[in-house]
Amino acid sequence: MSFATSYLFYKSVSWAVPLFVYAFFNGLSGQFFYDWVNSMLWALLYTGLPIVLLGVYDMDVLPSTALR
């Protein structure tokens, strides 16, 4: 759980920092840095997929131990 929490935190930071820097280079004009398609792909690939993969591959014990 702590791995997933830290992953989501750094994912959010890596999304917000370029927006913050771009705003200053663009003169705070309010233009968008990311296209809406990129936003949707970001949400799908970097938020949903890793959490699903963590849930699928997470195991506390080996299957042979659980069957025993």
Side-chain angles (χ1 to χ4, degrees):
M1 192 62 152
S2 63
F3 178 75
T5 303
S6 65
Y7 172 79
L8 290 174
F9 172 75
Y10 287 115
K11 179 208 54 92
S12 298
V13 168
S14 68
W15 178 262
V17 168
L19 290 173
F20 185 74
V21 172
Y22 180 73
F24 285 106
F25 281 120
N26 201 23
L28 301 170
S29 68
Q31 286 184 325
F32 293 113
F33 182 64
Y34 299 118
D35 188 26
W36 67 272
V37 175
N38 293 337
S39 299
M40 299 303 273
L41 289 175
W42 180 268
L44 176 68
L45 295 177
Y46 291 108
T47 302
L49 188 62
I51 301 302
V52 168
L53 291 177
L54 277 173
V56 167
Y57 290 112
D58 185 34
M59 66 175 149
D60 294 329
V61 295
L62 295 173
S64 60
T65 306
L67 287 174
R68 214 174 329 128

